[in-house]
Amino acid sequence: EYYNVARGGYVLASPPGQPPHVQTGHLRQGILWLREAKGVRKVGTNIGYGVFHELTELTARPFIRPVFVKNKDKIARILAGA
């Protein structure tokens, strides 16, 4: 099991390679998208620590890419109608 100290106590942390467990909801609420052109969207987060979860091997808990990969066909169909 993996543990992180937060708010003066211990919370169960997700294992590396899995999305982070929800602790405050800030990361989930900070997922944003931007329309660049017809059928083209950028997805990211405005939460500072989100980039570390998503892109670094130190924390290795991606939360945007796995959802995109799992749903890319559905996303393509939605964007085709946009």
Side-chain angles (χ1 to χ4, degrees), residues 51-67:
V51 71
F52 296 104
H53 283 302
E54 187 69 24
L55 300 176
T56 67
E57 292 185 22
L58 179 63
T59 56
R61 291 174 179 88
F63 61 100
I64 294 176
R65 282 178 289 154
V67 173

Side-chain angles (χ1 to χ4, degrees), residues 31-72:
I31 297 174
L32 308 169
W33 63 272
L34 171 69
R35 180 180 179 173
E36 288 209 321
K38 184 175 175 116
V40 179
R41 306 293 189 272
K42 275 189 174 179
V43 178
T45 183
N46 62 354
I47 305 298
Y49 58 86
V51 71
F52 296 104
H53 283 302
E54 187 69 24
L55 300 176
T56 67
E57 292 185 22
L58 179 63
T59 56
R61 291 174 179 88
F63 61 100
I64 294 176
R65 282 178 289 154
V67 173
F68 174 78
V69 170
K70 180 179 178 183
N71 295 290
K72 65 181 178 181

